Amino acid sequence: MDNLRIAWLIPSVELGAYWVPVLREFKKVFKNTIFYTGLVWPGFDASVPGADTIKLVGEMKSLEMTKTATGYDRRLMVVSPGIVNELIRFKPDLILAQAFSLWTLLALLLKPVFGWRFVIIYDGSSPNSDFRDNKFRTLVRKAIARYADAFVANSHGAKEYLIDALDAPSDRVFTRMYLVPDADALQQSIQNVTPPDTGLKRPIFLYVGRITARKGIKSLLDACAILQTQGYSEYTLLIVGEGDQREELEAFIKDRNLTNNVTWVGWVNYGSLGAYFQRADVFVFPTFEDIWGMVPLEAMVFGKPVLCSKWAGAAETIVEGENGYIFDPHDPQELASVMRRFLDNPELIQSMGEKSQQMVAQHSAKSASDSFVEVISFVYGDKK
């Protein structure tokens, strides 16, 4: 097993710095590993252990096909066909391919020629990523799934999609959380940042992510406006991130007189985010659509309660009333209500935060790596 040559086909890790600790652990088992991608995150450093397995192939581009108001835009992922030459040169024994991109299809078409084993990994399920309403895409995905040796689903939603929509054999679909946070990675540059502190009223509600319509920040600000009408003003909403909606949201904040309650931080590199998680009291994830969502788990690592949208795959990690609450971001009244629970009962912050930390402790870079090792062992054991 330790002599196997493993190729990962992940078209984009634009926000995927969390892959590095997993790859570091995975390489301890499979030394002959290459992680192919077409797009890496800002500040990518190939010299970091784990990152040295990552190899850029061409350039990944995302072409917008259909724009949606509050969900993922329907896009076509354009990746380099140069991956074929890379695979022929590397001669992998097994390929771990993310979802159903062109790279996945090319690698599968070449499977009969080169005899490699083939495992599909699927991060999570959502309406605009599953394409259940697109008969052609579903048909192609079914054909691909038919010839995969196994599947790794990061969430129960992903498993359900693979089995129910694509007819993947249930005994070959493994539900293993592999998109996991690493506290060290989130703090490797923490000395370079000093989060704002002066004038911040507690509790501090934190949002980290892109500032775009899909992420539901407008709904979060609507909830803040509702709290204001109910007489709640002793709290801070700290927003970390950058994106195309910021100007619109800043105007809304000014119009609703929320300036004293909302603090903008802007973009922060991944290795410095730990400073903001540490400073916050409660994490809020109001997304309208996310196949997973790493930030709720990252907040849990730092012992924070989480208010999580029901439309995020990561809602699976929230136990209602124990380490946070799940809400519908389309209903700002409901979001205001769950925020108010921490304003009225600040003692919940510590108790729920401790529960979050306990729950996420079982998921680590090592456990994620072990999950892939387990599935690879299954594929080879099953073929004997």
Side-chain angles (χ1 to χ4, degrees):
M1 286 287 290
D2 56 358
N3 291 321
L4 290 179
R5 303 171 71 83
I6 309 295
W8 298 71
L9 304 186
I10 313 292
S12 171
V13 282
E14 180 184 5
L15 301 173
Y18 46 79
W19 270 111
V20 170
V22 177
L23 292 172
R24 182 190 63 222
E25 296 297 324
F26 187 81
K27 197 176 179 183
K28 291 177 182 178
V29 181
F30 297 110
K31 296 178 176 59
N32 297 317
T33 295
I34 299 181
F35 185 100
Y36 296 104
T37 189
L39 185 63
V40 293
W41 57 93
F44 170 72
D45 182 356
S47 67
V48 175
D52 56 346
T53 66
I54 297 175
K55 185 171 185 178
L56 274 168
V57 180
E59 182 182 0
M60 194 286 290
K61 294 182 180 179
S62 184
L63 302 180
E64 183 180 299
M65 306 298 288
T66 306
K67 192 171 184 62
T68 61
T70 56
Y72 289 113
D73 293 336
R74 297 289 180 99
R75 294 179 175 271
L76 179 64
M77 189 179 294
V78 180
V79 287
S80 172
I83 191 65
V84 173
N85 290 332
E86 294 288 345
L87 293 176
I88 292 173
R89 191 177 301 117
F90 181 49
K91 298 181 177 64
D93 297 298
L94 182 140
I95 291 175
L96 292 158
Q98 184 185 50
F100 300 92
S101 73
L102 176 62
W103 278 2
T104 301
L105 179 59
L106 289 173
L108 186 63
L109 291 173
L110 293 171
K111 179 184 177 185
V113 179
F114 295 98
W116 46 54
R117 311 289 170 82
F118 195 80
V119 176
I120 292 175
I121 66 178
Y122 203 67
D123 295 352
S125 173
S126 77
N128 287 297
S129 63
D130 291 348
F131 291 95
R132 290 180 188 246
D133 58 348
N134 188 312
K135 292 183 179 179
F136 176 74
R137 284 212 182 196
T138 298
L139 185 63
V140 172
R141 290 183 174 194
K142 280 186 175 182
I144 292 174
R146 181 179 179 184
Y147 295 101
D149 294 286
F151 306 81
V152 186
N154 179 66
S155 67
H156 294 288
K159 177 181 180 179
E160 179 185 341
Y161 168 72
L162 291 169
I163 295 173
D164 294 347
L166 303 187
D167 300 327
S170 59
D171 61 340
R172 291 180 177 270
V173 180
F174 295 78
T175 309
R176 301 289 186 272
M177 191 188 299
Y178 57 80
L179 295 180
V180 296
D182 181 83
D184 291 338
L186 288 160
Q187 299 179 94
Q188 62 184 2
S189 306
I190 201 171
Q191 69 278 0
N192 299 330
V193 62
T194 302
D197 194 18
T198 305
L200 296 189
K201 295 176 283 189
R202 289 193 177 273
I204 297 173
F205 294 92
L206 173 67
Y207 168 83
V208 175
R210 291 178 176 175
I211 311 302
T212 190
R214 176 174 63 86
K215 291 296 188 175
I217 310 162
K218 173 62 163 50
S219 184
L220 175 55
L221 294 174
D222 281 332
C224 291
I226 292 169
L227 289 173
Q228 185 182 60
T229 65
Q230 296 172 343
Y232 292 89
S233 59
E234 294 301 309
Y235 71 92
T236 298
L237 172 60
L238 194 61
I239 302 178
V240 177
E242 198 56 79
D244 58 15
Q245 201 189 20
R246 177 164 177 170
E247 185 176 343
E248 173 195 340
L249 297 180
E250 286 182 325
F252 179 88
I253 290 167
K254 185 177 180 180
D255 182 62
R256 297 300 181 92
N257 297 316
L258 294 172
T259 307
N260 293 332
N261 293 101
V262 181
T263 298
W264 289 94
V265 175
W267 184 83
V268 173
N269 72 60
Y270 192 77
S272 301
L273 286 177
Y276 295 89
F277 285 117
Q278 289 176 346
R279 191 63 54 91
D281 296 300
V282 180
F283 187 77
V284 189
F285 193 50
T287 182
F288 291 120
E289 183 179 15
D290 255 279
I291 57 174
W292 184 235
M294 279 290 293
V295 278
L297 282 86
E298 290 163 354
M300 290 169 65
V301 164
F302 289 93
K304 307 302 172 183
V306 176
L307 300 178
C308 188
S309 163
K310 64 185 290 186
W311 304 114
E316 294 183 5
T317 66
I318 308 303
V319 178
E320 187 82 7
E322 291 192 21
N323 72 315
Y325 299 98
I326 299 170
F327 63 92
D328 186 346
H330 295 283
D331 184 355
Q333 288 281 357
E334 183 181 0
L335 176 50
S337 176
V338 291
M339 292 175 71
R340 198 166 56 241
R341 295 185 187 187
F342 293 102
L343 296 173
D344 291 338
N345 306 284
E347 69 278 3
L348 292 177
I349 294 171
Q350 182 174 347
S351 61
M352 285 192 169
E354 290 173 354
K355 185 65 175 179
S356 278
Q357 203 162 41
Q358 293 168 9
M359 291 169 63
V360 80
Q362 60 187 305
H363 302 294
S364 64
K366 178 65 164 59
S367 69
S369 172
D370 288 346
S371 296
F372 290 113
V373 173
E374 174 194 358
V375 175
I376 292 170
S377 300
F378 165 82
V379 169
Y380 278 85
D382 187 58
K383 295 291 183 179
K384 289 181 179 177

